[in-house]
Amino acid sequence: MRILALLSLLLGTFVVAAPPPAAAEPVRVAEFLADCPFSHRLPDDPIVFPGLPGASHMHSFFGSRVTNAHTQLNDLLNGATNCNPAVDKSSYWVPTLYRDGAPVEPAIVTFYYLGEGVRDDIIARIQPLPLGLRIVAGNAKATGPDNTTISRWSCLHAGHVGASKDFVNCPSGTMLESYLDFPQCWNGRDLDSADHKSHMAYPVAGACPSTHPVPVPKLRQVIRYPVSGDPSRFRLASGGGFTMHGDFFNAWPAAEMERRVRDCIRPIIKCGADGRPS
């Protein structure tokens, strides 16, 4: 009887442990990223004017700290970077922004590598961006906003202002921001071309054209400047806001780029700067 009473007492006070919480499902966004703040400013462009220091309008450089007119791939691979992750030795640059004639450098610079823009079945076979690839997106010689204008301007935390192909008037306390998407279809052969664009193409109806059959991650450049107010006070080194363009010189180590494409882009998983699900 004493044994039965003891068992009854033990059973009466037994608490069933709650099952462990289920692991969170990865976010269904094909993405990894690099945060690469401002590094330096030079009137150089190693893609458009290689070997010609001072031949370009002023550029603001991000990522690689060694980029100049003479930069080659090995310079990037062996040089310092300010990117997070530090494994990204790539160089990124844009025309410098001026307010009232004084240069303004960004407060936040993020480069997203995305699978969006093509169908899911194409995302599943996206290939890594080839080491040494050079791309220029946007039109530095534009004379006005038109149907070919790729870049967009908007205001951080002021979505009601709306996006525009030219500078916008951001409310006080917000920041002017620029978005630019690079093409994500490669011809599969060339790391560059005479106009620095023809070896790449944008998707058509969610697929890569037959002339550029290799889908690669789409690079999205997001730059936020600590300025607001009257857009007539702003200009780019290349001209109006509609001349915004971006240059990219890929120096991600091939194995790191492949891992991120395999683990983040193809399975459509949102990853952080470390290339792991966030």
Side-chain angles (χ1 to χ4, degrees):
M1 291 295 292
R2 291 177 62 187
I3 293 174
L4 289 175
L6 181 58
L7 285 173
S8 177
L9 179 62
L10 289 172
L11 290 172
T13 58
F14 181 70
V15 178
V16 178
E25 288 293 321
V27 178
R28 289 281 293 171
V29 175
E31 173 188 305
F32 65 93
L33 59 86
D35 292 307
C36 306
F38 171 70
S39 172
H40 58 286
R41 189 167 56 241
L42 285 172
D44 290 2
D45 190 327
I47 293 179
V48 178
F49 297 107
L52 298 173
S56 174
H57 51 249
M58 190 64 71
H59 281 114
S60 296
F61 291 86
F62 316 102
S64 174
R65 293 187 177 277
V66 302
T67 313
N68 59 40
H70 301 287
T71 296
Q72 300 291 328
L73 178 59
N74 282 340
D75 300 318
L76 299 179
L77 293 173
N78 296 317
T81 180
N82 64 13
C83 284
N84 173 28
V87 71
D88 181 11
K89 297 295 190 76
S90 303
S91 186
Y92 311 83
W93 60 97
V94 299
T96 299
L97 175 72
Y98 292 86
R99 179 175 62 176
D100 299 331
V104 177
E105 298 304 347
I108 305 169
V109 184
T110 305
F111 297 97
Y112 296 91
Y113 292 81
L114 306 166
E116 67 174 50
V118 293
R119 301 189 310 264
D120 283 5
D121 62 302
I122 296 176
I123 294 176
R125 57 182 180 84
I126 279 179
Q127 299 300 306
L129 288 157
L131 182 63
L133 182 70
R134 299 161 176 82
I135 318 175
V136 178
N139 183 5
K141 298 180 180 179
T143 57
D146 58 30
N147 291 337
T148 67
T149 305
I150 299 166
S151 59
R152 293 292 183 273
W153 293 93
S154 56
C155 305
L156 180 63
H157 303 317
H160 61 279
V161 173
S164 172
K165 297 178 181 180
D166 206 345
F167 298 125
V168 291
N169 193 332
C170 294
S172 177
T174 67
M175 286 197 287
L176 181 69
E177 57 186 4
S178 170
Y179 284 75
L180 177 65
D181 284 353
F182 284 66
Q184 64 195 104
C185 300
W186 179 42
N187 68 10
R189 301 183 309 273
D190 305 309
L191 297 178
D192 200 357
S193 51
D195 62 358
H196 316 295
K197 295 181 179 182
S198 297
H199 58 305
M200 303 294 298
Y202 288 90
V204 178
C208 285
S210 60
T211 54
H212 296 74
V214 182
V216 294
K218 173 169 69 178
L219 175 62
R220 173 170 293 161
Q221 167 185 293
V222 181
I223 302 178
R224 286 157 177 163
Y225 297 91
V227 293
S228 59
D230 184 0
S232 69
R233 300 173 64 188
F234 307 139
R235 72 173 178 87
L236 292 171
S238 51
F242 46 83
T243 67
M244 185 58 163
H245 56 284
D247 295 61
F248 169 59
F249 194 152
N250 179 35
W252 282 87
E256 285 294 331
M257 173 62 68
E258 166 60 34
R259 181 178 70 81
R260 285 164 169 78
V261 169
R262 182 194 67 219
D263 295 349
C264 309
I265 301 297
R266 291 178 189 143
I268 313 183
I269 292 174
K270 182 180 176 68
C271 293
D274 61 355
R276 310 289 181 188
S278 58

